Amino acid sequence: MVCSTGLAAGFGVQCELVGARGYDEWGAMFASSMKRCMVGIGKMRIQQGPTGRCVILICNGQRTMRTCLSEAARMAADDLSIQDFSGAKWLLLSGYCFYGKHLLQRAIELAAEAKMKVALDLASFEIVQSFKQELKGVLESGRVHCCFCNEDEAAELIHKEGQGSRAQPEEALAYLSQHCDLAVVTLGDKGCIAKRSGEQEIVQEPACSGVTVTDATGAGDLFASGFLYGVLRQYSLQKCCRMGCLAGGAIVQTLGAEMTQANWKWLFDRLHGALAASAVRDSATAVHHELLECYALIEKLGRGVVYYGSARLKQDSPHWGRAVDLGQRVAELLGCTTWSGGGPGMMEAATAGAQSIKAPVGGIRISREAGTTVRTASYLPADCAVFCRFLSSRKVALVDCGVRAKESDQTAYIFLPGGLGTMDELFEIMTLVQLKKLGSKLAVPLILCNYDGFYDGLMNFLGAMVQNGTVGTPELTDIMVASSNEEVLDCLASFYKLPRTSHGTQLTLHRASSLIRRDSHKELPEAGTMSRANSAVA
């Protein structure tokens, strides 16, 4: 899997993933990650049950990976067909395929029928230990053309019962090269050794120098991607090993198994020197792919009301219950999809309200929300969220969720109490409206939920901008400020000419421009001494 992302995203090799995932959040996240890395997933099966997972423990850069496959969705040997491999030159298999009865053997048979070459990664010394006889049978069949293993897997492969000393990597290399065209043993910080079948020479390649290891996760997979790229380009065995070591050296410098643009820049800079810039894929490509995925979800669920708000506010906040109530009642009133950033806090509360009446919901998620340290679990239905790596993709998509494409669309941007991220989104939408990039053909309501005067300070700030001539009052006319949910609902009902039951209370819904006009002639405080923002707030 990680090898295919390296080949596709970094080396431009067309890759297709054949396998199975569950119909759950983890499966959707996995599919999103593969598409972002330009790996084809059209041959992935989606099955009932959970997606296979693992936990990775990292200490001083070294990692231990424990998998959980017991009840996971998985492929059976009978699920495979020759069509799964049509048009490909190589099939890369993981030793984990041995957990599916006859799955690996069936894949190799079909690869031979499709006239493909087969590469096998032994994956784990525990797999070698558990399936040694089956593994040796596969290797000695002569149908594996390239085999990758690390020194622990190599030692286990040729270990004999009663043997006292640990087998040397060269011994495993000799065994593998008897049966495979290419045999490679990786040696961690000592680099790798490799050998071609029928040749006496053992090629040695040292590990990259000057590398600070942050996390060894994915090092073997990226090594395989670099090595196989060299094979596809018909490079010498020495250069294939060098490319493998460079790719492995790049990934260990970052946390996790996904290469960043900086990692690829480092790799190609080492490989091509001054030509590196022309070889590195720009992040714009990844943003483009993320946006296409977001647009596909918007097309599927339909545009609607977009909620913004703080990810930090929990259920004990006085704003939580109001947001839940608002999400429910707006969904009832407009009958459209409820959109949010899919994170915790106010986003979750508004979504929960819509879900309580089984209204459609969707989310454009980011890896980490402000105030959180890890990606939060999703409360959204499977396949109703997109995961973005780039903030720009998420911001553009969330705005698009509320754009009215036709007269019958009933959408809105509703801002619940929030922090810096919420303000960023608000000012972006205000700027788009100001520049007539948004709402010039079909206007969209923009409403601030001023619960307990939360946005009073913002109104004062906008008033100061008007007073100083940096913003014109007419530019703020379309921003509505509501102090209660009733006022939000009245605003939406009035905008879309929908019937509303009278609630018998006096409402105080205002346009932002009218609030600012009221305060615009107040004197601004005199300039004082410079201070930090946090001391001014205190």
Side-chain angles (χ1 to χ4, degrees):
M1 178 192 71
V2 178
C3 178
S4 62
T5 63
L7 282 167
F11 294 110
V13 177
Q14 185 176 352
C15 296
E16 187 89 13
L17 195 61
V18 179
R21 71 168 178 89
Y23 188 71
D24 58 6
E25 180 201 3
W26 292 100
M29 183 171 68
F30 173 81
S32 176
S33 177
M34 290 299 102
K35 284 195 274 188
R36 184 170 65 238
C37 293
M38 288 161 280
V39 176
I41 59 171
K43 295 172 182 176
M44 285 286 294
R45 278 68 162 176
I46 302 176
Q47 301 176 351
Q48 291 300 323
T51 300
R53 285 175 267 173
C54 67
V55 62
I56 297 175
L57 308 175
I58 305 165
C59 181
N60 297 326
Q62 299 305 310
R63 70 105 176 97
T64 297
M65 186 174 78
R66 311 308 299 164
T67 57
C68 177
L69 304 173
S70 56
E71 298 178 355
R74 65 179 69 190
M75 290 195 76
D78 292 341
D79 294 333
L80 291 173
S81 69
I82 190 68
Q83 285 74 32
D84 287 318
F85 305 121
S86 60
K89 294 181 179 179
W90 278 84
L91 171 64
L92 176 60
L93 294 167
S94 167
Y96 282 104
C97 290
F98 278 113
Y99 284 111
K101 189 175 181 180
H102 304 310
L103 178 62
L104 188 138
Q105 293 88 334
R106 175 63 175 159
I108 291 176
E109 289 173 6
L110 290 171
E113 189 178 335
K115 295 181 170 48
M116 297 169 63
K117 291 187 175 182
V118 174
L120 175 62
D121 182 352
L122 300 193
S124 164
F125 80 92
E126 292 172 315
I127 289 175
V128 178
Q129 192 176 64
S130 301
F131 300 98
K132 185 179 293 187
Q133 291 310 117
E134 296 96 320
L135 174 58
K136 284 194 169 186
V138 167
L139 291 169
E140 293 171 9
S141 72
R143 288 184 166 184
V144 175
H145 300 86
C146 178
C147 185
F148 299 99
C149 61
N150 63 28
E151 51 192 324
D152 292 330
E153 295 152 7
E156 185 60 41
L157 179 64
I158 59 172
H159 175 78
K160 295 178 182 176
E161 194 140 354
Q163 182 179 353
S165 59
R166 176 185 170 95
Q168 295 301 305
E170 290 78 8
E171 297 176 65
L173 195 68
Y175 168 78
L176 290 170
S177 63
Q178 288 177 19
H179 308 292
C180 308
D181 295 341
L182 293 168
V184 187
V185 179
T186 58
L187 307 173
D189 60 5
K190 296 186 287 295
C192 73
I193 55 176
K195 191 173 184 294
R196 286 189 187 274
S197 177
E199 296 183 2
Q200 295 300 314
E201 180 189 8
I202 294 178
V203 172
Q204 296 180 309
E205 179 68 27
C208 303
S209 59
V211 172
T212 301
V213 179
T214 299
D215 176 10
T217 304
D221 296 295
L222 264 297
F223 175 93
S225 72
F227 187 94
L228 287 174
Y229 176 72
V231 170
L232 289 170
R233 297 297 298 267
Q234 299 183 326
Y235 290 157
S236 68
L237 184 56
Q238 187 77 57
K239 188 166 184 179
C240 290
C241 290
R242 181 169 180 244
M243 294 196 70
C245 287
L246 281 170
I251 190 59
V252 300
Q253 299 178 58
T254 193
L255 189 65
E258 191 167 338
M259 292 276 278
T260 65
Q261 186 181 1
N263 296 139
W264 287 117
K265 177 68 171 65
W266 179 92
L267 188 159
F268 284 106
D269 190 47
R270 289 285 190 103
L271 189 63
H272 299 297
L275 299 178
S278 63
V280 178
R281 290 184 177 274
D282 192 80
S283 60
T285 303
V287 170
H288 173 72
H289 281 273
E290 285 187 354
L291 282 172
L292 289 178
E293 192 175 356
C294 292
Y295 292 144
L297 184 65
I298 296 168
E299 183 72 21
K300 171 187 170 184
L301 299 179
R303 290 177 169 84
V305 175
V306 186
Y307 289 91
Y308 299 91
S310 173
R312 302 179 191 230
L313 298 179
K314 310 302 181 189
Q315 294 189 26
D316 58 358
S317 166
H319 304 315
W320 179 276
R322 296 165 176 165
V324 172
D325 175 68
L326 185 64
Q328 175 188 329
R329 297 172 70 188
V330 169
E332 288 174 331
L333 178 69
L334 299 185
C336 60
T337 302
T338 295
W339 288 96
S340 75
M346 294 290 93
M347 296 173 279
E348 180 178 1
T351 304
Q355 287 178 311
S356 70
I357 60 166
K358 297 182 170 30
V361 296
I364 310 295
R365 302 195 63 189
I366 197 72
S367 293
R368 293 179 185 174
E369 298 287 352
T372 66
T373 56
V374 296
R375 177 179 284 160
T376 54
S378 179
Y379 44 83
L380 294 164
D383 297 331
C384 285
V386 170
F387 293 85
C388 293
R389 179 180 168 194
F390 296 95
L391 189 59
S392 55
S393 308
R394 185 203 202 192
K395 290 175 66 176
V396 170
L398 278 174
V399 171
D400 195 73
C401 289
V403 171
R404 295 176 65 205
K406 53 186 183 296
E407 188 74 35
S408 59
D409 286 340
Q410 296 180 346
T411 70
Y413 301 108
I414 296 180
F415 284 81
L416 298 159
L420 296 178
T422 306
M423 293 300 98
D424 177 40
E425 303 282 7
L426 173 61
F427 277 91
E428 179 181 40
I429 291 176
M430 289 169 62
T431 303
L432 290 172
V433 172
Q434 179 192 52
L435 298 176
K436 302 189 185 309
K437 301 289 186 182
L438 177 64
S440 57
K441 292 182 179 178
L442 294 170
V444 180
L446 172 57
I447 305 172
L448 304 184
C449 294
N450 194 30
Y451 300 147
D452 302 329
F454 183 88
Y455 284 113
D456 285 352
L458 175 63
M459 293 300 102
N460 292 335
F461 173 64
L462 292 174
M465 295 171 74
V466 169
Q467 187 172 344
N468 281 277
T470 57
V471 172
T473 303
E475 296 166 2
L476 306 174
T477 302
D478 294 328
I479 304 171
M480 306 304 294
V481 183
S483 59
S484 68
N485 289 349
E486 294 293 347
E487 293 177 5
V488 174
L489 294 163
D490 271 10
C491 174
L492 294 173
S494 173
F495 189 93
Y496 290 112
K497 299 179 173 56
L498 301 172
R500 270 270 288 153
T501 303
S502 175
H503 36 72
T505 57
Q506 182 68 34
L507 301 180
T508 56
L509 181 67
H510 295 284
R511 293 186 182 274
S513 55
S514 67
L515 292 176
I516 289 167
R517 197 175 298 119
R518 183 184 64 195
D519 295 332
S520 61
H521 298 294
K522 290 183 178 179
E523 289 188 12
L524 295 176
E526 294 183 6
T529 57
M530 182 181 293
S531 62
R532 292 185 182 274
N534 58 357
S535 64
V537 169

